């Protein structure tokens, strides 16, 4: 679509300049003022609207887990994903998830035996890596684990504010809070530092991948860890994550809450 617009622009420019030059070869080029015919302006608008619809449809398929495994966002949807992630839409969706989770949590009657658990993922659930993805095409680039690990080691990921509010509410209600993340065990110290600095100051367990779990799909790894919780007598009443691999598999929560994330997919 951009190529088509540029083609039309330079076509108009070439025609205007050549017409003046033929009429009077001594005439200096005058400022170029282009007035698009109404039909062309309408077509541009229709193209923009169609692209927005296509990208919205793609994002819906992502959030509903209807897409086959994907590695990058569609190139033509870069602008759409950027606008969504940095605009009002993403914030509203996060607030909606947090609000609904809070209503559900408050409706539960806890046993009081310390076995009622809420699980939180970390990346794009509690902490935002948006500053990293701003520099890496909002998911347009193939994921680079080395570069991402460098970002993690900086410990600068900000809190996702609606999730922080939910987190504090969950603690106040008396849930045990387990953090279950795909981050490596070698990042434990910096993860604790980053979480604390962002406002997440207390939890009951922080579970990361140790060497024996490297290479396992996230769905398998997290299923195994949830199953261990259930075997230990815990009741998983809530689970919050941005990936379906945070929520699906064995040892499911009584209710799960999927946060939006159109930038990357983890199986």
């Amino acid at each position: 679509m951009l190529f088509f617009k540029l083609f039309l622009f330079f076509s108009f420019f070439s025609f205007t300049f050549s017409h003046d030059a033929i009429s009077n070869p001594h005439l200096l080029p005058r400022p170029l003022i282009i007035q698009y015919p109404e039909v062309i302006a309408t077509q541009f608008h229709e193209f923009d609207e169609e692209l927005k619809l296509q990208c919205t449809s793609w994002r819906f398929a992502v959030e509903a887990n209807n897409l086959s495994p994907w590695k990058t966002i569609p190139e033509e949807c870069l602008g759409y994903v950027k606008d969504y992630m940095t605009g009002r839409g993403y914030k509203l969706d996060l607030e909606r998830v947090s609000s609904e989770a809070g209503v559900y949590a408050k409706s539960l009657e806890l046993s009081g035996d310390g076995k009622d658990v809420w699980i939180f993922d970390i990346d794009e659930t509690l902490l935002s890596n948006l500053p990293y993805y701003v520099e890496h095409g909002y998911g347009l680039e193939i994921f680079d684990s080395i570069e991402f690990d460098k970002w993690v080691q900086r410990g600068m990921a900000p809190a996702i504010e609606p999730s922080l509010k939910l987190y504090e509410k969950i603690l106040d209600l008396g849930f045990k809070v387990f953090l279950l993340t795909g981050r490596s065990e070698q990042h434990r110290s910096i993860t604790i530092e980053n979480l604390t600095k962002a406002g997440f100051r207390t939890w009951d367990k922080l579970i990361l991948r140790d060497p024996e779990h490297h290479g396992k799909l996230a769905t398998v790894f997290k299923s195994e860890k949830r199953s261990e919780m259930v075997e230990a007598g815990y009741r998983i009443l809530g689970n919050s994550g941005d990936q379906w691999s945070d929520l699906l598999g064995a040892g499911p929560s009584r209710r799960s809450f999927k946060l939006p994330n159109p930038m990357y997919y983890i199986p």
Side-chain angles (χ1 to χ4, degrees):
M1 182 175 66
L2 177 59
F3 173 79
F4 177 67
K5 291 182 178 179
L6 290 174
F7 174 77
L8 286 175
F9 176 86
F10 286 110
S11 296
F12 279 119
F13 178 83
S14 300
F15 173 79
T16 303
F17 182 78
S18 61
H19 177 75
D20 287 343
I22 292 172
S23 301
N24 187 342
H26 301 292
L27 183 64
L28 292 175
R30 62 186 179 185
L32 180 62
I33 300 175
I34 296 176
Q35 292 183 333
Y36 290 111
E38 184 176 339
V39 64
I40 295 178
T42 299
Q43 288 176 348
F44 285 168
H45 177 74
E46 290 175 351
F47 289 148
D48 287 342
E49 287 300 307
E50 177 63 21
L51 180 59
K52 184 177 180 180
L53 285 173
Q54 291 291 340
C55 292
T56 300
S57 177
W58 173 82
R59 185 173 68 84
F60 176 82
V62 166
E63 301 299 355
N65 201 29
N66 288 333
L67 287 186
S68 299
W70 52 281
K71 294 184 177 181
T72 66
I73 66 172
E75 184 175 357
E76 62 272 21
C77 293
L78 171 58
Y80 173 87
V81 173
K82 175 183 176 182
D83 290 346
Y84 172 74
M85 293 300 300
T86 59
R88 183 79 173 124
Y90 179 55
K91 293 177 182 178
L92 281 174
D93 288 345
L94 291 172
E95 289 168 0
R96 176 75 66 183
V97 176
S98 175
S99 175
E100 292 300 320
V103 170
Y104 162 72
K106 194 173 181 179
S107 72
L108 298 174
E109 185 174 344
L110 304 189
S111 63
D113 61 0
K115 293 292 186 177
D116 295 315
V117 171
W118 196 291
I119 298 174
F120 287 94
D121 172 53
I122 293 180
D123 293 298
E124 267 57 66
T125 300
L126 299 182
L127 298 178
S128 172
N129 296 302
L130 186 56
Y132 171 84
Y133 282 97
V134 166
E135 301 298 324
H136 294 272
Y138 296 89
L140 185 60
E141 297 180 11
I142 294 289
F143 179 72
D144 186 328
S145 60
I146 295 176
E147 288 299 312
F148 185 73
D149 283 352
K150 290 178 182 177
W151 158 255
V152 169
Q153 281 299 133
R154 294 170 65 187
M156 296 177 62
I160 293 176
E161 290 300 329
S163 292
L164 179 56
K165 291 179 182 178
L166 172 64
Y167 189 93
E168 292 171 344
K169 179 179 289 186
I170 293 299
L171 287 171
D172 288 344
L173 288 170
F175 286 87
K176 293 285 185 181
V177 169
F178 291 175
L179 308 185
L180 178 54
T181 174
R183 290 189 177 197
S184 171
E185 185 65 41
Q186 67 182 9
H187 292 138
R188 177 175 289 274
S189 294
I190 193 63
T191 298
I192 291 173
E193 179 183 325
N194 196 163
L195 284 166
T196 303
K197 183 168 58 178
F200 303 95
R201 295 185 173 86
T202 184
W203 52 82
D204 296 283
K205 286 188 179 183
L206 171 58
I207 304 169
L208 302 96
R209 281 184 189 257
D210 53 33
E212 71 177 89
H213 290 108
H214 286 175
K216 286 185 178 180
L217 293 177
T219 305
V220 175
F221 166 65
K222 294 197 172 188
S223 290
E224 290 178 354
K225 292 302 177 183
R226 289 196 304 270
S227 294
E228 291 174 9
M229 296 173 198
V230 173
E231 290 171 5
Y234 290 105
R235 293 176 291 275
I236 305 173
L237 302 183
N239 187 4
S240 298
D242 68 293
Q243 300 289 318
W244 282 100
S245 53
D246 299 329
L247 311 175
L248 299 177
S253 170
R254 182 180 297 181
R255 187 169 175 189
S256 298
F257 294 88
K258 168 73 169 65
L259 283 76
N261 183 1
M263 296 188 297
Y264 61 84
Y265 170 83
I266 298 176

